């Protein structure tokens, strides 16, 4: 679900407590399930172990919520790679596309460039699916049509997202 | 390899509206490019400039290395007739002419013998799946049949450049795919450069490249 990358995105504005990260996440995605505290701290712990975030302050005597985390340069690179890469088109990939798009806009990334690459990636996948030769399995055309129809729906949403973003950019 | 179609910094304004603000693109033989973008962004205008239907206010159009504006009228007409096949967004068939004559028209105008032109036309009507309607006049056809006839007419001369504006717009998805396949074959097996304007992502997915316009400019260009 890309929670780790979203946490990096939330820290890109500056160092923060786990609690701020959780609140930030829930504000970015008001319609999704709130991020559990437990998950925030496990994720921050894993990111620290991997050198993507570092602890810059730990008020003595406090619990884990007193710890302040900051993005490392390795973490920043990881985030920017993630924001640049299109999501592999598959069932349910649109959710992650939305997460990346919101994170890109919130962190000042190149949202239009990401959307263009994501469009290309979806279009390529549709072509692949359509060029797959028929086999004997009677369910495979059904599955393929299902996937193509959903990728097409994603693409229509990507289209309007692109238009909306360019409008906002144009009028700013 | 020389470009089959090259547009250089094309600008075009209608009386009140500026439709194109400097668009450049190149298509190699056999290449398929989808032009996408919101309604009114300039797709049809671009295609009409490429086809020589509109003369750009600035910039140049080259077909097979020949600059349209530099040719005398008669040679330009001949180049357009023989090298460029056009499928327009809104009907372009001659109303009172049976389909077979409509499709044969570019050959007849080019001085081909009548029997030979009809034979070629029948062959293309068959490829697009409406050979049975050869004697019907355009007014008797559905939107989808008209589009198929328009594709047959665009391909009958074996053009180096095929320009198609929403070629599958009036067809359901299966019929649309069949007609698209006829156009794609013209590119893949006959080496025509195919420029398709489309709102349909399933059509765009069959291209080698997507060029997306916004407000008369290229917003992005991606290889597929
Ligand atoms: N004959 C005309 N006279 C005046 N303005 C025109 C004319 N044709 C097009 N325009 C304007 O030029 C701009 C580009 O139009 P164009 O037809 O190229 O758009 P399009 O991208 O093909 O749109 P659609 O997807 O709706 O077909 C639009 O603002 C349109 O209103
Ligand atoms: Mg148009």
């Amino acid at each position: 679900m890309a929670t780790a990358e979203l946490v990096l995105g939330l820290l890109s504005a500056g160092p923060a407590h786990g609690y701020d990260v959780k609140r930030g996440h829930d504000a970015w995605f008001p319609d999704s399930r709130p991020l559990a505290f437990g998950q925030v701290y496990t994720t921050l712990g894993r990111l620290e172990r991997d050198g993507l975030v570092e602890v810059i302050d730990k008020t003595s005597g406090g619990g884990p919520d007193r710890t302040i985390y900051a993005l490392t340069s390795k973490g920043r690179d990881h985030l920017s790679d993630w924001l640049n890469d299109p999501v592999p088109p598959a069932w349910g990939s649109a959710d992650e596309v939305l997460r990346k798009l919101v994170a890109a806009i919130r962190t000042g990334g190149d949202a239009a460039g990401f959307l263009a690459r994501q469009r290309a990636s979806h279009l390529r996948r549709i072509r692949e699916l359509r060029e797959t030769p028929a086999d004997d399995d009677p369910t495979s055309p059904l599955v393929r049509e299902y996937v193509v129809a959903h990728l097409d729906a994603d693409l229509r949403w990507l289209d309007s997202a692109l238009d909306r973003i360019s409008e906002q950019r144009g009028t700013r | 390899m020389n470009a089959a179609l090259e547009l250089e910094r094309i600008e075009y304004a209608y009386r009140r509206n500026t439709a194109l603000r400097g668009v450049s693109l190149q298509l190699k033989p056999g290449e398929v490019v989808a032009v996408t973008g919101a309604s009114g962004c300039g797709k049809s205008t671009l295609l009409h400039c490429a086809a020589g239907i509109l003369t750009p206010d600035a910039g140049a159009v080259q077909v097979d290395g020949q600059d349209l504006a530099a040719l005398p009228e008669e040679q330009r007409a001949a180049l357009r007739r023989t090298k460029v096949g056009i499928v327009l967004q809104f009907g372009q068939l001659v109303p009172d002419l049976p389909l077979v004559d409509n499709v044969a028209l570019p050959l007849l105008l080019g001085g081909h013998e009548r029997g030979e032109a009809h034979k070629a036309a029948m062959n293309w009507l068959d490829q697009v799946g409406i050979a049975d309607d050869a004697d019907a006049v355009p007014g008797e056809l559905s939107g989808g049949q008209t589009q198929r006839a328009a594709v047959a007419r665009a391909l009958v001369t074996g053009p180096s450049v095929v320009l198609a504006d929403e070629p599958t717009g009036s067809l359901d998805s299966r019929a649309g795919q069949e007609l698209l396949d006829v156009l794609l074959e013209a590119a893949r097996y006959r080496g025509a450069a195919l420029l398709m304007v489309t709102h349909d992502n399933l059509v765009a997915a069959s291209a080698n490249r997507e060029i997306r316009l916004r407000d008369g400019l290229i917003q992005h260009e991606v290889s597929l």
Side-chain angles (χ1 to χ4, degrees):
Chain A
M1 209 194 67
T3 307
E5 283 81 7
L6 289 176
V7 168
L8 295 177
L10 286 153
L11 286 174
S12 73
H17 291 125
Y19 177 71
D20 302 324
V21 168
K22 181 231 166 356
R23 263 211 334 213
H25 172 276
D26 297 349
W28 278 14
F29 303 102
D31 291 329
S32 85
R33 210 168 339 126
L35 200 55
F37 277 114
Q39 200 182 356
V40 175
Y41 291 115
T42 335
T43 305
L44 283 167
R46 205 148 26 86
L47 290 170
E48 190 192 357
R49 183 198 66 200
D50 295 343
L52 301 177
V53 303
E54 60 191 346
V55 173
I56 58 165
D57 192 26
K58 210 173 203 168
T59 313
S60 56
D65 55 326
R66 304 312 307 157
T67 310
I68 299 180
Y69 293 89
L71 212 52
T72 62
S73 67
K74 192 176 162 196
R76 204 167 283 282
D77 289 346
H78 184 86
L79 172 65
S80 116
D81 288 347
W82 181 71
L83 289 175
N84 272 316
D85 286 345
V87 179
W91 293 13
S93 55
D95 281 10
E96 186 168 352
V97 176
L98 175 64
R99 287 195 186 94
K100 279 199 195 204
L101 178 61
V102 170
I105 295 169
R106 298 277 187 177
T107 61
D110 175 16
F114 164 66
L115 287 172
R117 284 187 293 276
Q118 188 66 57
R119 256 188 83 72
S121 170
H122 266 61
L123 289 170
R124 266 181 233 126
R125 182 68 189 137
I126 287 181
R127 187 177 55 207
E128 269 169 31
L129 287 165
R130 299 187 129 201
E131 284 173 357
T132 309
D135 56 24
D136 290 340
D137 184 343
T139 65
S140 43
L142 295 175
V143 173
R144 205 176 312 150
E145 279 168 21
Y146 170 89
V147 177
V148 168
H150 282 77
L151 292 175
D152 185 30
D154 291 356
L155 277 163
R156 270 177 269 164
W157 169 70
L158 286 166
D159 254 347
S160 48
L162 252 173
D163 288 340
R164 193 174 287 277
I165 281 174
S166 353
E167 261 162 43
Q168 287 164 351
R169 248 193 336 207
T171 54
R172 210 174 278 161
Chain B
M1 194 168 13
N2 271 337
L5 174 69
E6 177 157 13
L7 306 187
E8 262 174 277
R9 291 191 293 277
I10 300 291
E11 294 175 24
Y12 189 86
Y14 297 96
R15 221 169 298 162
R16 280 205 202 86
N17 304 320
T18 303
L20 297 173
R21 305 168 195 273
V23 174
S24 303
L25 59 90
Q26 268 197 10
L27 268 78
K28 291 199 272 279
E31 204 177 11
V32 180
V33 170
V35 179
T36 61
S39 202
C41 67
K43 304 182 295 294
S44 293
T45 307
L46 184 71
L47 199 101
H48 293 172
C49 286
I53 297 169
L54 295 175
T55 306
D57 299 331
V61 178
Q62 292 193 13
V63 173
D64 270 352
Q66 303 218 59
D67 187 337
L68 286 190
L71 292 175
E73 178 53 37
E74 213 167 293
Q75 283 183 42
R76 177 163 57 232
L79 182 78
R80 285 174 52 193
R81 195 174 55 238
T82 56
K83 298 273 177 95
V84 184
I86 311 167
V87 183
L88 292 181
Q89 187 172 15
F90 305 108
Q92 62 196 3
L93 300 175
V94 182
D96 297 324
L97 217 50
L99 279 198
V100 63
D101 292 305
N102 254 298
V103 173
L105 201 58
L107 294 174
L108 295 171
L109 290 173
H112 286 248
E113 188 263 318
R114 195 173 172 82
E116 180 199 339
H118 269 205
K119 206 170 135 196
M122 280 309 296
N123 172 38
W124 278 105
L125 284 171
D126 188 39
Q127 298 230 20
V128 298
I130 49 171
D132 290 348
D133 302 309
D135 295 327
V137 294
E140 300 170 320
L141 300 177
S142 71
Q145 286 169 319
T146 309
Q147 268 184 328
R148 293 172 200 240
V151 167
R153 190 166 85 171
L155 298 179
V156 74
T157 58
S160 349
V161 175
V162 177
L163 305 166
D165 202 344
E166 300 284 0
T168 61
S170 313
L171 295 161
D172 64 37
S173 64
R174 183 169 300 217
Q177 183 64 43
E178 280 168 16
L179 191 59
L180 178 62
D181 285 340
V182 174
L183 283 167
L184 292 174
E185 264 174 44
R188 284 188 196 139
Y189 302 117
R190 294 161 202 262
L194 173 59
L195 186 69
M196 294 188 291
V197 166
T198 187
H199 277 111
D200 184 342
N201 290 312
L202 303 186
V203 173
S206 56
N208 305 114
R209 213 165 4 127
E210 178 194 40
I211 293 179
R212 188 182 166 93
L213 296 185
R214 177 179 155 76
D215 261 346
L217 283 172
I218 293 184
Q219 181 178 27
H220 71 233
E221 186 168 346
V222 286
S223 320
L224 302 176

